[in-house]
Amino acid sequence: MATAADPDASGDGADEPDPDSPEGRGGAAFVLPAGPPDTGRTPLDRRRILGAAIRFIDTHGLSALTMRRLGASLGVEAMALYRYVPGRDQLLDGVVETVIDELYGDPDVHLEAAHGWQDYLQRLAHGVRRIALAHPEVFPLVATRPPAAPWVRPPLRSLRWVESFLTAMTSCGFSEDSAVAAYRAYSSFLLGHLLLEVSQKGVPINAQDAGESPAPTADLSEYPTVVRLQELLSMDESAEEFEEALENLLGRLEHVRREGRSPAEPESFT
Amino acid sequence: MATAADPDASGDGADEPDPDSPEGRGGAAFVLPAGPPDTGRTPLDRRRILGAAIRFIDTHGLSALTMRRLGASLGVEAMALYRYVPGRDQLLDGVVETVIDELYGDPDVHLEAAHGWQDYLQRLAHGVRRIALAHPEVFPLVATRPPAAPWVRPPLRSLRWVESFLTAMTSCGFSEDSAVAAYRAYSSFLLGHLLLEVSQKGVPINAQDAGESPAPTADLSEYPTVVRLQELLSMDESAEEFEEALENLLGRLEHVRREGRSPAEPESFT
DNA sequence: ACCTGAACACCGTTCAAGT
DNA sequence: ACCTGAACACCGTTCAAGT
């Protein structure tokens, strides 16, 4: 059904594959898989564009995202996008914002601190992790696009989240300073762990997949400890690591809340 | 002479500023400040290219780096670079590698674990922080370029560093598992903290510098806690945060080393 | 041996023009 | 009101040609 509606699916506007292109990883021209049913008449719209951009990045990778190709994925020329988005950079900012706000609709996350701040931070952390893993190609963008203000720290990059975090914490007995310190520690924790976890997913567990893996094995003899521990190093324990580090952070924060100091001093029970 | 050859430039190789270009932040054409004295005859060379690339990024920002402009900064056409570097992506990989290896020449860092692992990790962390702050525009690249293998974790992205880290730790009483766990925790810590610190530097403390800051102040009333804590949030305490978090991590690791477990359980003194 | 000119297939973006 | 065609000033990259 609907085969006639979309003019460039099989025929005229196609991409001209050009398999020698150094960019396209697989060389496969970006012909999208039939798209959502309504690819035709709804007159385009910022939300739809951002959604398409996210899907495009998830599918083809960030480096493949081009105004022209994004347009094509919506059945439109690139120039049409400029009516809704000021330019490519702002498009990317919009993508980041949209992905983060996805989290705001997550029912597991949005009950604020009804069951205490530890429960809230747990749910929030897992929510962020879920979207990071759902959009591994987008997350580096979340991590590195310059924030709007210096106190909006990735990955919780929106005033909504800063507000939510700080009110939750202060309403749970954190002083203002401690709440801010907690916000900082929490951001660093999430950013470091999730960026690493996501970037590990990008690497096909065996370094390069081309040919017979020549160079790496050669030099490797200079690094005996790495070779010896290779198996251990290759294990993916990101999930456990995340839980443990989160647990530990919460412990630190509880300590801060009670003592009123900033999060340091591993043992000061005296 | 030569005025007839190139139809679109006024002089010979000049850039044609075009102040309306959305890319160039300052709009200033990339005329480099006289360059190092020997800009002439040494016949070009991979090292020199990578050095120039790093300086270029430090000065003009990553998004301004272009094969053509990098060539120009070396007094050469872009095409000459391809004799020494396979392409732009590999150039960036080389930049990352070079910046990280800079650290390897740092005398403060390179004495391995002669004074114990805590001292070693302290010096290493401060060394990485120093290069992150020295090359704030390069660090996001260090953080996000896909690593060569899944067990080479940013920001310590080279076998040399993995080897150095693991031998130091195992020679100081860490079991193999604990050493690997420590490597992971340490990487996350560095990545999160330094990426945040570096990205904060990029933001001019007052959000946008254009006009009279219109939009932000308008919405801001919806976020009372943010507004109330704005001063606290705006303070730059990255240095103290870094020290404290590092101290805490070392405490955790010492605990791991003694107990042989992975880094969790905030309080198990019983 | 080392670099350049010219060319190719793309980019982002603008703007007058079509419907 | 919404999209397109054509154009402009760039890109990365290749390759035959210059010195």
Side-chain angles (χ1 to χ4, degrees), chain A:
Chain A
M1 71 221 35
T3 20
D6 193 352
D8 73 344
S10 62
D12 59 290
D15 244 11
E16 173 111 31
D18 189 4
D20 287 334
S21 158
E23 185 80 278
R25 272 176 232 248
F30 297 95
V31 278
L32 354 174
D38 68 335
T39 323
R41 287 312 80 184
T42 31
L44 210 51
D45 149 81
R46 195 180 138 92
R47 276 249 319 305
R48 225 153 58 83
I49 293 176
L50 293 176
I54 292 170
R55 275 195 308 276
F56 193 101
I57 297 173
D58 285 344
T59 311
H60 304 293
L62 174 60
S63 69
L65 181 71
T66 268
M67 298 302 277
R68 289 165 139 103
R69 298 212 266 238
L70 178 57
S73 91
L74 286 158
V76 121
E77 301 295 315
M79 309 81 197
L81 303 174
Y82 287 87
R83 200 159 288 271
Y84 305 93
V85 155
R88 188 181 191 262
D89 276 5
Q90 292 92 329
L91 206 193
L92 295 182
D93 286 337
V95 162
V96 166
E97 199 194 320
T98 305
V99 163
I100 289 300
D101 282 358
E102 216 172 279
L103 182 67
Y104 215 74
D106 188 328
D108 276 9
V109 174
H110 195 6
L111 349 122
E112 306 262 317
H115 298 87
W117 61 273
Q118 328 220 21
D119 173 66
Y120 173 65
L121 293 196
Q122 280 269 4
R123 287 188 340 261
L124 182 52
H126 286 110
V128 177
R129 179 159 183 266
R130 237 176 284 131
I131 71 163
L133 294 178
H135 305 287
E137 292 277 347
V138 176
F139 197 76
L141 232 41
V142 173
T144 58
R145 287 250 114 200
W151 36 271
V152 175
R153 300 166 64 126
L156 256 35
R157 331 175 31 118
S158 81
L159 285 177
R160 283 216 293 207
W161 280 118
V162 186
E163 179 72 18
S164 167
F165 188 103
L166 292 175
T167 58
M169 299 304 268
T170 51
S171 85
C172 284
F174 278 78
S175 72
E176 300 193 334
D177 310 70
S178 319
V180 170
Y183 170 59
R184 290 183 172 143
Y186 192 73
S187 307
S188 306
F189 155 75
L190 282 181
L191 192 67
H193 272 273
L194 296 182
L195 195 54
L196 272 171
E197 187 166 359
V198 150
S199 86
Q200 253 172 303
K201 301 256 126 116
V203 186
I205 219 153
N206 230 341
Q208 45 254 75
D209 34 29
E212 55 234 78
S213 64
T217 5
D219 299 315
L220 225 67
S221 62
E222 303 215 3
Y223 308 102
T225 314
V226 169
V227 170
R228 183 158 46 90
L229 302 187
Q230 199 158 0
E231 270 201 63
L232 275 178
L233 283 165
S234 303
M235 304 187 60
D236 179 6
E237 311 201 89
S238 352
E240 298 86 332
E241 266 174 79
F242 187 79
E243 296 317 325
E244 282 168 8
L246 176 55
E247 213 71 59
N248 175 270
L249 175 67
L250 295 185
R252 263 167 88 193
L253 293 184
E254 169 61 6
H255 192 218
V256 168
R257 191 181 62 88
R258 288 206 312 258
E259 314 291 322
R261 287 306 298 124
S262 28
E265 298 127 85
E267 59 214 89
S268 46
F269 273 58
T270 41

Side-chain angles (χ1 to χ4, degrees), chain B residues 66-69 79 82 88:
Chain B
T66 269
M67 297 302 276
R68 288 162 139 105
R69 299 213 265 238
M79 308 83 197
Y82 286 87
R88 188 181 192 262

Side-chain angles (χ1 to χ4, degrees), chain B residues 155-241:
Chain B
L156 255 36
R157 328 174 34 116
S158 79
L159 286 177
R160 285 218 292 210
W161 280 118
V162 185
E163 178 72 19
S164 166
F165 188 103
L166 292 176
T167 58
M169 299 304 269
T170 51
S171 84
C172 284
F174 278 78
S175 71
E176 300 192 336
D177 310 71
S178 319
V180 170
Y183 170 59
R184 291 183 171 141
Y186 192 72
S187 306
S188 307
F189 155 74
L190 282 180
L191 191 67
H193 272 273
L194 296 182
L195 194 54
L196 272 172
E197 187 166 0
V198 150
S199 87
Q200 253 172 304
K201 300 257 126 115
V203 187
I205 221 155
N206 230 340
Q208 46 253 76
D209 33 30
E212 56 235 78
S213 63
T217 4
D219 299 315
L220 224 66
S221 63
E222 303 214 4
Y223 308 103
T225 314
V226 169
V227 170
R228 185 159 45 90
L229 302 187
Q230 199 159 1
E231 270 200 65
L232 275 178
L233 283 165
S234 304
M235 304 186 59
D236 178 7
E237 312 201 88
S238 352
E240 299 86 333
E241 265 174 80

